Structure formats: C-alpha cells, structure tokens
Amino acid sequence: MTDATSRDGTRSGSTAQPVGGAKGPDELRRQIEQTRGELGDTVEELAGKADVKGRAKARAADLKDRAGAMTVHLRGSAGHTVRGEAGRADPPSRRARHAVRAGLGHPRAVLVAGAAAGVAVAASLARRHRHGPC
C-alpha cells in the first residue's frame, strides 16, 4: 500500500500528518538554522561534561579561591577576637569561645585545618621514628 498525498497536504493511510513541517522554503530554512543552533549548544554542553580534566581544574581553582577567602575571613575574625571589642586583650576562655563559634560557622575550614595539623603531626612522628629523638 502506498501513501498518496491529497490536495490539503496530508497523507492517506493510518496517519494524517502534513507532508512537510514547514509552510515554505523560507520557513524550512529557518527551522534548519534553529535546529543547527540547538544541536551546536547540545554538542558544546556534552563536550563540557566529557572534559573531566577541565572540570577538575575549574573545581580546584574554585575551591582554592574559596579557601583563600575563608583564610582572610578567619584571620580577620581571629584578630578581632585577640584584640577584643574595647581594644584590650580577651581572656583565653573568651578567645576560645570566639574561635569555636567561628569554626561552627565554617566547618570545611576547620576540617582542612585539622587535616593539615594531622599531616604535620604524622610527618613529625615519622621523622622522629627515622632519626631518633635527637
């Protein structure tokens, strides 16, 4: 059975769809250009997702920037804590309270600082084990 096209642009048979989606050659060209643009965007998006190394570098740079900003913030709050609000030195218990509050607000920074301290202690112990307690 062959599908024949009637005068109104529909096929005879089980599906009555227009033969072409466009109303003319200009409309067809516009649809092609739109589809090409969408396809190009999709290809760029997929290429970006496939670039694991590039994404990892971008993520590392972002984390480095955030860690730097966090360091500046914590140094500023630590300086404020040591000086006190009236310009005098705070008692150690008050400084400790401020440090704990700052740490609770920034758990990642505390985790990074703890990990760095752990690495420093482990390196010190390994060096002492190798060379003795000299």
Side-chain angles (χ1 to χ4, degrees), residues 34-116:
Q34 180 181 356
T35 303
R36 281 183 183 157
E38 291 171 359
L39 182 61
D41 293 343
T42 302
V43 168
E44 283 182 31
E45 189 176 321
L46 289 173
K49 288 182 179 182
D51 184 17
V52 176
K53 187 176 181 180
R55 287 177 36 206
K57 283 183 178 181
R59 177 80 172 139
D62 180 47
L63 289 174
K64 184 178 178 183
D65 290 344
R66 290 174 66 188
M70 186 66 61
T71 301
V72 169
H73 176 75
L74 288 176
R75 283 185 182 164
S77 65
H80 176 73
T81 301
V82 171
R83 286 188 302 274
E85 293 177 12
R88 65 188 188 296
D90 286 338
S93 62
R94 187 168 182 190
R95 281 184 279 171
R97 254 193 317 257
H98 284 297
V100 168
R101 283 188 188 136
L104 289 175
H106 306 288
R108 283 188 182 161
V110 172
L111 180 64
V112 169

